[in-house]
Amino acid sequence: MTSSEFDQFRPPKPERRGKRGDGAPKRRRPDDLMVPEAVIEHVDGYYGHPIVKPPPWEAPVGAYLFLGGVAGGSGLLAAGAQLAGYPALRRNARLAGLGAAGVGALALVVDLGRPERFLHMMRTFKVTSPMSVGSWILSGYSGMIGVAAAAEVDRLLGERLPLGPLRKVLRFGEAPAGLGAAVFATPLAAYTAVLLADTAMPTWNAAYKDLPFVFVSSASLAAGGLALVTTPAAEAGPARNLAVLGVIGDVAATRIMESRMDPVAAEPLHHGTPGKLMRWAERLAVAGGVGALLTGGRRGRVRRCLAALSGGALMAASACTRFGVFEAGLESAKDPRYTIEPQKRRLAARRAAGNTGDSITG
Protein backbone atom coordinates (compact mmCIF):
# COMPACT_ATOMS: atom_id res chain seq x y z
CA MET A 1 0.00 0.00 0.00
CA THR A 2 1.35 3.40 -0.95
CA SER A 3 0.69 6.75 0.66
CA SER A 4 0.72 10.28 -0.70
CA GLU A 5 1.22 13.70 0.83
CA PHE A 6 -2.32 14.46 -0.35
CA ASP A 7 -3.87 11.63 1.67
CA GLN A 8 -4.66 14.06 4.47
CA PHE A 9 -7.12 15.81 2.16
CA ARG A 10 -9.07 12.68 1.25
CA PRO A 11 -12.43 12.02 2.93
CA PRO A 12 -12.46 9.19 5.48
CA LYS A 13 -13.50 5.76 4.22
CA PRO A 14 -17.03 4.67 5.26
CA GLU A 15 -17.30 1.85 7.77
CA ARG A 16 -18.15 -1.54 6.27
CA ARG A 17 -21.52 -2.96 7.25
CA GLY A 18 -21.47 -6.13 9.33
CA LYS A 19 -23.22 -9.39 8.49
CA ARG A 20 -25.96 -11.34 10.20
CA GLY A 21 -25.15 -14.36 12.22
CA ASP A 22 -26.14 -16.75 9.42
CA GLY A 23 -23.60 -15.14 7.07
CA ALA A 24 -26.16 -13.35 4.90
CA PRO A 25 -25.77 -9.58 4.47
CA LYS A 26 -28.23 -7.34 6.24
CA ARG A 27 -31.14 -6.12 4.19
CA ARG A 28 -31.41 -2.35 3.71
CA ARG A 29 -34.70 -0.73 4.50
CA PRO A 30 -36.08 1.79 1.97
CA ASP A 31 -35.40 4.58 4.46
CA ASP A 32 -31.70 3.72 4.44
CA LEU A 33 -31.49 4.36 0.70
CA MET A 34 -32.77 7.94 0.97
CA VAL A 35 -30.36 10.83 1.35
CA PRO A 36 -31.45 13.01 4.30
CA GLU A 37 -32.03 16.68 3.64
CA ALA A 38 -28.90 18.69 4.42
CA VAL A 39 -29.21 21.30 7.14
CA ILE A 40 -26.20 23.60 7.22
CA GLU A 41 -25.79 25.42 10.50
CA HIS A 42 -22.06 26.07 10.32
CA VAL A 43 -19.67 25.38 7.48
CA ASP A 44 -15.92 25.07 7.89
CA GLY A 45 -15.24 24.67 4.18
CA TYR A 46 -14.31 21.72 2.01
CA TYR A 47 -12.38 19.34 4.28
CA GLY A 48 -11.31 22.28 6.42
CA HIS A 49 -10.33 24.51 3.49
CA PRO A 50 -12.05 27.75 2.37
CA ILE A 51 -14.79 27.42 -0.22
CA VAL A 52 -13.11 30.02 -2.42
CA LYS A 53 -9.35 30.32 -2.54
CA PRO A 54 -8.10 33.86 -1.91
CA PRO A 55 -5.55 35.16 -4.41
CA PRO A 56 -1.93 35.19 -3.18
CA TRP A 57 -1.83 38.99 -3.35
CA GLU A 58 0.06 40.98 -0.74
CA ALA A 59 0.77 44.64 0.08
CA PRO A 60 2.42 45.45 -3.32
CA VAL A 61 -0.93 44.84 -5.03
CA GLY A 62 -2.66 47.24 -2.64
CA ALA A 63 0.05 49.81 -3.39
CA TYR A 64 -0.52 49.28 -7.11
CA LEU A 65 -4.26 49.90 -6.67
CA PHE A 66 -3.50 53.22 -4.97
CA LEU A 67 -0.73 54.35 -7.33
CA GLY A 68 -2.79 53.45 -10.38
CA GLY A 69 -5.47 55.82 -9.13
CA VAL A 70 -2.94 58.59 -8.53
CA ALA A 71 -1.50 58.10 -12.02
CA GLY A 72 -4.89 58.10 -13.73
CA GLY A 73 -6.16 61.17 -11.87
CA SER A 74 -2.91 63.05 -12.48
CA GLY A 75 -3.03 62.34 -16.22
CA LEU A 76 -6.55 63.72 -16.44
CA LEU A 77 -5.62 66.77 -14.35
CA ALA A 78 -2.52 67.42 -16.50
CA ALA A 79 -4.61 67.43 -19.67
CA GLY A 80 -7.05 69.91 -18.14
CA ALA A 81 -4.19 72.18 -17.05
CA GLN A 82 -2.72 71.90 -20.55
CA LEU A 83 -5.95 73.08 -22.17
CA ALA A 84 -6.68 75.76 -19.55
CA GLY A 85 -3.17 77.26 -19.52
CA TYR A 86 -1.76 76.36 -16.08
CA PRO A 87 1.91 75.52 -16.82
CA ALA A 88 3.03 74.77 -13.25
CA LEU A 89 0.03 72.53 -12.57
CA ARG A 90 0.50 70.82 -15.94
CA ARG A 91 4.17 70.11 -15.21
CA ASN A 92 3.57 68.78 -11.69
CA ALA A 93 0.64 66.62 -12.73
CA ARG A 94 2.58 65.11 -15.63
CA LEU A 95 5.57 64.28 -13.44
CA ALA A 96 3.27 62.87 -10.75
CA GLY A 97 1.47 60.74 -13.32
CA LEU A 98 4.69 59.28 -14.68
CA GLY A 99 6.15 58.68 -11.22
CA ALA A 100 3.01 56.98 -9.89
CA ALA A 101 2.71 54.79 -13.00
CA GLY A 102 6.39 53.79 -12.79
CA VAL A 103 6.34 52.92 -9.08
CA GLY A 104 2.99 51.17 -9.50
CA ALA A 105 4.34 49.03 -12.31
CA LEU A 106 7.34 48.18 -10.13
CA ALA A 107 4.98 47.09 -7.31
CA LEU A 108 3.08 44.92 -9.79
CA VAL A 109 6.30 43.28 -10.99
CA VAL A 110 7.35 42.65 -7.37
CA ASP A 111 4.08 40.83 -6.74
CA LEU A 112 4.43 38.80 -9.93
CA GLY A 113 7.80 37.55 -8.71
CA ARG A 114 9.57 37.63 -12.07
CA PRO A 115 9.67 40.70 -14.36
CA GLU A 116 9.18 38.64 -17.50
CA ARG A 117 5.69 37.67 -16.36
CA PHE A 118 4.55 41.22 -17.05
CA LEU A 119 5.96 40.95 -20.59
CA HIS A 120 4.12 37.66 -21.08
CA MET A 121 0.83 39.50 -20.46
CA MET A 122 1.64 41.77 -23.41
CA ARG A 123 1.83 38.93 -25.92
CA THR A 124 -1.93 38.94 -26.50
CA PHE A 125 -4.89 41.27 -26.07
CA LYS A 126 -7.88 39.50 -24.53
CA VAL A 127 -10.97 41.67 -24.13
CA THR A 128 -12.55 39.29 -21.61
CA SER A 129 -9.52 39.48 -19.29
CA PRO A 130 -9.30 42.61 -17.09
CA MET A 131 -5.64 41.83 -16.41
CA SER A 132 -4.81 41.69 -20.12
CA VAL A 133 -6.72 44.88 -20.90
CA GLY A 134 -5.24 46.60 -17.86
CA SER A 135 -1.69 45.74 -18.90
CA TRP A 136 -2.23 47.44 -22.25
CA ILE A 137 -3.90 50.43 -20.59
CA LEU A 138 -0.95 50.84 -18.23
CA SER A 139 1.54 50.54 -21.10
CA GLY A 140 -0.33 53.02 -23.30
CA TYR A 141 -0.69 55.52 -20.49
CA SER A 142 2.96 55.20 -19.46
CA GLY A 143 4.18 55.79 -23.01
CA MET A 144 2.01 58.88 -23.52
CA ILE A 145 2.66 60.48 -20.15
CA GLY A 146 6.35 59.62 -20.52
CA VAL A 147 6.67 61.74 -23.66
CA ALA A 148 4.85 64.67 -22.04
CA ALA A 149 6.90 64.39 -18.84
CA ALA A 150 10.16 64.19 -20.80
CA ALA A 151 9.32 67.52 -22.42
CA GLU A 152 8.70 69.03 -18.98
CA VAL A 153 12.02 67.71 -17.62
CA ASP A 154 13.88 69.10 -20.65
CA ARG A 155 12.23 72.47 -20.09
CA LEU A 156 13.08 72.41 -16.38
CA LEU A 157 16.75 71.74 -17.14
CA GLY A 158 16.96 74.59 -19.62
CA GLU A 159 17.01 72.24 -22.62
CA ARG A 160 20.26 70.63 -21.47
CA LEU A 161 19.21 67.09 -22.24
CA PRO A 162 21.31 65.63 -25.12
CA LEU A 163 18.37 65.29 -27.47
CA GLY A 164 19.79 67.06 -30.56
CA PRO A 165 17.30 67.03 -33.44
CA LEU A 166 14.90 64.92 -31.38
CA ARG A 167 14.02 68.00 -29.32
CA LYS A 168 11.85 69.32 -32.14
CA VAL A 169 10.10 65.96 -32.38
CA LEU A 170 9.56 65.99 -28.62
CA ARG A 171 8.09 69.49 -28.69
CA PHE A 172 5.81 68.53 -31.55
CA GLY A 173 4.54 65.39 -29.83
CA GLU A 174 4.22 66.88 -26.34
CA ALA A 175 0.67 68.23 -26.62
CA PRO A 176 -0.83 65.18 -28.40
CA ALA A 177 0.90 62.89 -25.91
CA GLY A 178 -0.56 64.82 -22.97
CA LEU A 179 -4.07 64.49 -24.39
CA GLY A 180 -3.44 60.86 -25.29
CA ALA A 181 -2.52 60.13 -21.67
CA ALA A 182 -5.88 61.59 -20.63
CA VAL A 183 -7.63 59.05 -22.87
CA PHE A 184 -6.00 56.22 -20.89
CA ALA A 185 -6.30 58.00 -17.52
CA THR A 186 -9.87 57.12 -16.56
CA PRO A 187 -9.60 53.45 -17.64
CA LEU A 188 -6.35 53.21 -15.67
CA ALA A 189 -8.09 54.48 -12.53
CA ALA A 190 -11.09 52.16 -12.98
CA TYR A 191 -9.84 48.89 -14.46
CA THR A 192 -8.45 47.61 -11.15
CA ALA A 193 -12.00 47.76 -9.76
CA VAL A 194 -13.18 45.56 -12.64
CA LEU A 195 -10.22 43.26 -11.99
CA LEU A 196 -11.23 42.77 -8.35
CA ALA A 197 -14.97 42.42 -9.06
CA ASP A 198 -14.29 39.78 -11.73
CA THR A 199 -12.95 37.38 -9.09
CA ALA A 200 -14.93 34.98 -6.86
CA MET A 201 -14.09 36.88 -3.67
CA PRO A 202 -17.56 37.52 -2.15
CA THR A 203 -17.08 41.17 -1.13
CA TRP A 204 -15.40 42.23 -4.36
CA ASN A 205 -17.89 40.38 -6.53
CA ALA A 206 -20.88 41.80 -4.65
CA ALA A 207 -19.62 45.35 -5.33
CA TYR A 208 -19.18 44.93 -9.09
CA LYS A 209 -21.84 47.51 -10.01
CA ASP A 210 -20.42 50.42 -8.03
CA LEU A 211 -16.77 49.68 -7.29
CA PRO A 212 -15.47 51.38 -10.50
CA PHE A 213 -17.21 54.61 -9.48
CA VAL A 214 -15.62 54.40 -6.03
CA PHE A 215 -12.16 53.90 -7.54
CA VAL A 216 -12.51 56.75 -10.05
CA SER A 217 -13.67 59.15 -7.32
CA SER A 218 -10.83 57.98 -5.10
CA ALA A 219 -8.36 58.63 -7.92
CA SER A 220 -9.72 62.16 -8.38
CA LEU A 221 -9.28 63.17 -4.76
CA ALA A 222 -5.80 61.56 -4.63
CA ALA A 223 -4.55 63.36 -7.74
CA GLY A 224 -6.11 66.64 -6.63
CA GLY A 225 -4.58 66.25 -3.18
CA LEU A 226 -1.10 65.58 -4.58
CA ALA A 227 -1.38 68.65 -6.81
CA LEU A 228 -2.37 70.77 -3.80
CA VAL A 229 0.84 69.67 -2.09
CA THR A 230 3.16 70.29 -5.06
CA THR A 231 1.61 73.27 -6.87
CA PRO A 232 1.58 76.98 -5.89
CA ALA A 233 -1.80 78.19 -4.68
CA ALA A 234 -2.15 80.59 -7.60
CA GLU A 235 -2.39 77.68 -10.06
CA ALA A 236 -4.00 75.07 -7.79
CA GLY A 237 -7.61 76.08 -8.50
CA PRO A 238 -8.38 73.20 -10.91
CA ALA A 239 -6.74 70.72 -8.54
CA ARG A 240 -8.84 72.03 -5.67
CA ASN A 241 -12.03 71.66 -7.71
CA LEU A 242 -11.10 68.12 -8.76
CA ALA A 243 -10.33 67.19 -5.15
CA VAL A 244 -13.66 68.51 -3.84
CA LEU A 245 -15.59 66.72 -6.57
CA GLY A 246 -13.62 63.57 -5.80
CA VAL A 247 -14.53 63.79 -2.11
CA ILE A 248 -18.24 64.13 -2.90
CA GLY A 249 -18.09 61.29 -5.40
CA ASP A 250 -16.02 59.04 -3.12
CA VAL A 251 -18.28 59.39 -0.07
CA ALA A 252 -21.49 59.08 -2.08
CA ALA A 253 -20.31 56.18 -4.26
CA THR A 254 -19.03 54.24 -1.25
CA ARG A 255 -22.30 54.65 0.64
CA ILE A 256 -24.34 53.65 -2.41
CA MET A 257 -22.08 50.66 -3.06
CA GLU A 258 -22.46 49.36 0.50
CA SER A 259 -26.25 49.83 0.44
CA ARG A 260 -26.62 47.87 -2.80
CA MET A 261 -24.37 44.98 -1.76
CA ASP A 262 -25.64 41.86 -0.07
CA PRO A 263 -25.60 42.74 3.66
CA VAL A 264 -23.53 39.68 4.53
CA ALA A 265 -20.99 40.26 1.75
CA ALA A 266 -20.64 43.89 2.88
CA GLU A 267 -19.77 42.95 6.47
CA PRO A 268 -15.97 42.78 5.92
CA LEU A 269 -16.07 46.46 4.91
CA HIS A 270 -17.26 47.34 8.43
CA HIS A 271 -15.25 45.04 10.70
CA GLY A 272 -11.60 44.50 11.59
CA THR A 273 -8.78 46.21 9.74
CA PRO A 274 -10.81 46.84 6.54
CA GLY A 275 -13.54 48.51 8.60
CA LYS A 276 -11.04 50.82 10.30
CA LEU A 277 -9.51 51.76 6.95
CA MET A 278 -12.88 52.52 5.39
CA ARG A 279 -13.95 54.68 8.35
CA TRP A 280 -10.71 56.63 8.28
CA ALA A 281 -11.03 57.02 4.50
CA GLU A 282 -14.33 58.87 4.93
CA ARG A 283 -13.06 61.02 7.80
CA LEU A 284 -9.87 62.03 6.00
CA ALA A 285 -11.74 62.69 2.76
CA VAL A 286 -14.23 65.02 4.43
CA ALA A 287 -11.49 66.80 6.39
CA GLY A 288 -9.32 67.18 3.30
CA GLY A 289 -12.24 68.43 1.21
CA VAL A 290 -13.17 71.07 3.80
CA GLY A 291 -9.55 72.15 4.02
CA ALA A 292 -9.28 72.38 0.24
CA LEU A 293 -12.34 74.64 0.15
CA LEU A 294 -10.87 76.90 2.83
CA THR A 295 -7.64 77.39 0.89
CA GLY A 296 -9.57 79.40 -1.69
CA GLY A 297 -9.95 82.34 0.70
CA ARG A 298 -6.51 82.26 2.33
CA ARG A 299 -3.26 83.92 1.38
CA GLY A 300 0.41 83.54 2.08
CA ARG A 301 1.93 80.83 4.24
CA VAL A 302 -1.31 79.96 6.01
CA ARG A 303 -2.95 79.16 2.70
CA ARG A 304 0.04 77.13 1.53
CA CYS A 305 0.26 75.10 4.76
CA LEU A 306 -3.47 74.45 4.77
CA ALA A 307 -3.33 73.31 1.14
CA ALA A 308 -0.47 70.92 1.91
CA LEU A 309 -2.27 69.45 4.93
CA SER A 310 -5.49 69.06 2.96
CA GLY A 311 -3.67 67.42 0.08
CA GLY A 312 -1.97 64.96 2.41
CA ALA A 313 -5.30 64.07 4.02
CA LEU A 314 -6.89 63.49 0.62
CA MET A 315 -4.08 61.19 -0.50
CA ALA A 316 -4.30 59.26 2.77
CA ALA A 317 -8.07 58.93 2.30
CA SER A 318 -7.60 57.46 -1.16
CA ALA A 319 -4.99 55.01 0.13
CA CYS A 320 -7.32 53.92 2.96
CA THR A 321 -10.15 53.34 0.48
CA ARG A 322 -8.04 51.20 -1.83
CA PHE A 323 -6.40 49.17 0.93
CA GLY A 324 -9.72 48.85 2.79
CA VAL A 325 -11.48 47.35 -0.23
CA PHE A 326 -8.45 45.19 -0.95
CA GLU A 327 -8.26 43.74 2.56
CA ALA A 328 -12.04 43.28 2.79
CA GLY A 329 -12.04 41.07 -0.29
CA LEU A 330 -9.27 38.87 1.09
CA GLU A 331 -11.06 38.58 4.44
CA SER A 332 -14.34 37.59 2.80
CA ALA A 333 -12.70 34.52 1.30
CA LYS A 334 -11.70 33.13 4.70
CA ASP A 335 -15.20 32.63 6.10
CA PRO A 336 -17.52 30.30 4.09
CA ARG A 337 -20.51 32.22 5.45
CA TYR A 338 -19.76 35.13 3.11
CA THR A 339 -20.00 32.75 0.17
CA ILE A 340 -22.92 30.52 1.16
CA GLU A 341 -25.46 32.95 2.61
CA PRO A 342 -25.52 35.34 -0.38
CA GLN A 343 -25.79 32.32 -2.70
CA LYS A 344 -28.75 30.95 -0.75
CA ARG A 345 -30.42 34.37 -0.82
CA ARG A 346 -29.95 34.69 -4.60
CA LEU A 347 -31.29 31.16 -5.08
CA ALA A 348 -34.40 31.95 -3.02
CA ALA A 349 -34.94 35.16 -5.00
CA ARG A 350 -34.75 33.28 -8.31
CA ARG A 351 -37.24 30.69 -7.12
CA ALA A 352 -39.58 33.38 -5.81
CA ALA A 353 -39.43 35.04 -9.23
CA GLY A 354 -40.49 31.79 -10.89
CA ASN A 355 -37.10 30.83 -12.35
CA THR A 356 -37.21 27.12 -11.50
CA GLY A 357 -36.36 25.46 -14.79
CA ASP A 358 -32.65 26.20 -15.11
CA SER A 359 -29.57 24.38 -13.83
CA ILE A 360 -29.28 26.72 -10.83
CA THR A 361 -32.73 26.31 -9.30
CA GLY A 362 -33.65 22.92 -10.73
Side-chain angles (χ1 to χ4, degrees):
M1 177 178 179
T2 60
S3 61
S4 168
E5 59 178 328
F6 300 103
D7 285 347
Q8 57 179 319
F9 302 122
R10 294 176 181 172
K13 294 182 178 180
E15 296 184 1
R16 306 181 76 175
R17 291 182 177 272
K19 297 183 178 180
R20 293 188 300 178
D22 57 359
K26 292 182 179 180
R27 289 187 177 182
R28 293 182 179 179
R29 294 179 302 171
D31 293 343
D32 295 335
L33 302 178
M34 297 179 63
V35 179
E37 184 178 355
V39 178
I40 302 176
E41 296 180 355
H42 180 72
V43 180
D44 293 325
Y46 185 73
Y47 300 122
H49 292 269
I51 293 179
V52 293
K53 183 179 180 181
W57 294 343
E58 298 180 352
V61 175
Y64 174 69
L65 298 179
F66 168 65
L67 292 170
V70 174
S74 296
L76 196 63
L77 184 60
Q82 173 183 329
L83 296 174
Y86 290 90
L89 178 60
R90 180 199 65 206
R91 178 195 64 224
N92 294 342
R94 285 176 174 178
L95 296 178
L98 178 62
V103 178
L106 180 61
L108 181 60
V109 170
V110 168
D111 181 77
L112 291 174
R114 296 203 305 265
E116 64 269 18
R117 288 177 176 172
F118 180 81
L119 299 178
H120 293 335
M121 292 189 293
M122 304 298 297
R123 293 184 301 175
T124 60
F125 180 79
K126 190 175 181 180
V127 180
T128 57
S129 170
M131 180 63 77
S132 174
V133 175
S135 300
W136 284 96
I137 290 173
L138 177 61
S139 300
Y141 174 85
S142 299
M144 293 291 182
I145 201 69
V147 172
E152 296 290 356
V153 172
D154 185 54
R155 197 177 293 111
L156 270 176
L157 298 177
E159 298 187 351
R160 292 190 179 92
L161 291 179
L163 297 176
L166 293 179
R167 180 168 286 108
K168 292 183 178 180
V169 178
L170 183 63
R171 290 286 181 268
F172 178 78
E174 175 185 359
L179 298 178
V183 174
F184 290 98
T186 302
L188 178 63
Y191 97 87
T192 48
V194 180
L195 175 64
L196 297 182
D198 196 46
T199 67
M201 303 306 103
T203 298
W204 292 343
N205 188 265
Y208 75 96
K209 292 182 179 179
D210 304 293
L211 192 57
F213 298 99
V214 173
F215 273 28
V216 169
S217 301
S218 172
S220 300
L221 66 90
L226 181 57
L228 287 175
V229 174
T230 59
T231 306
E235 290 201 19
R240 183 166 54 249
N241 296 336
L242 181 65
V244 172
L245 291 175
V247 169
I248 297 173
D250 182 71
V251 174
T254 302
R255 293 289 184 90
I256 293 173
M257 177 187 73
E258 293 176 356
S259 67
R260 297 176 64 181
M261 293 173 62
D262 184 278
V264 174
E267 284 184 9
L269 292 170
H270 303 284
H271 303 297
T273 300
K276 293 179 181 178
L277 289 172
M278 297 302 291
R279 287 191 292 272
W280 272 107
E282 183 170 333
R283 295 167 187 167
L284 290 169
V286 172
V290 172
L293 285 174
L294 294 177
T295 59
R298 302 275 182 175
R299 293 184 179 182
R301 293 182 179 179
V302 175
R303 182 182 185 183
R304 191 74 187 90
C305 291
L306 184 58
L309 290 173
S310 301
L314 292 171
M315 292 183 65
S318 178
C320 286
T321 297
R322 301 287 177 129
F323 275 94
V325 171
F326 176 67
E327 294 292 339
L330 297 181
E331 287 294 324
S332 68
K334 298 177 181 179
D335 191 342
R337 173 171 170 263
Y338 297 130
T339 301
I340 293 176
E341 290 194 15
Q343 286 182 344
K344 292 171 68 177
R345 222 181 326 271
R346 290 194 296 268
L347 178 61
R350 290 177 65 90
R351 285 174 174 168
N355 299 326
T356 59
D358 55 21
S359 59
I360 299 177
T361 57

